[in-house]
Amino acid sequence: MTQNSIEQMAIEARRAYQREWRKANPDKVRANTMRYWAKRAMKEAEERKAAEQEAN
């Protein structure tokens, strides 16, 4: 086996594990997604506020 094929197998194994984990823990996935988008919205709001202050 080459190093590239071993790395590819590791990537596929990681993806399979994550897929199964997400299937088993939909509430945690949903909570994480909500936290991500809340942080993203706050960051965009701060950036808009900063841009408005620069424009003035």
Side-chain angles (χ1 to χ4, degrees), residues 4-45:
N4 194 22
S5 66
I6 293 172
E7 289 174 4
Q8 190 64 30
M9 288 173 59
I11 290 169
E12 291 173 10
R14 187 178 315 122
R15 287 178 182 164
Y17 171 78
Q18 289 175 346
R19 219 177 1 260
E20 290 299 317
W21 188 89
R22 286 185 201 108
K23 187 187 287 188
N25 298 287
D27 53 334
K28 291 181 181 180
V29 173
R30 193 174 304 113
N32 185 46
T33 302
M34 293 298 291
R35 278 192 310 272
Y36 169 81
W37 286 108
K39 286 180 185 178
R40 178 90 184 248
M42 290 295 293
K43 182 179 176 183
E44 286 189 23

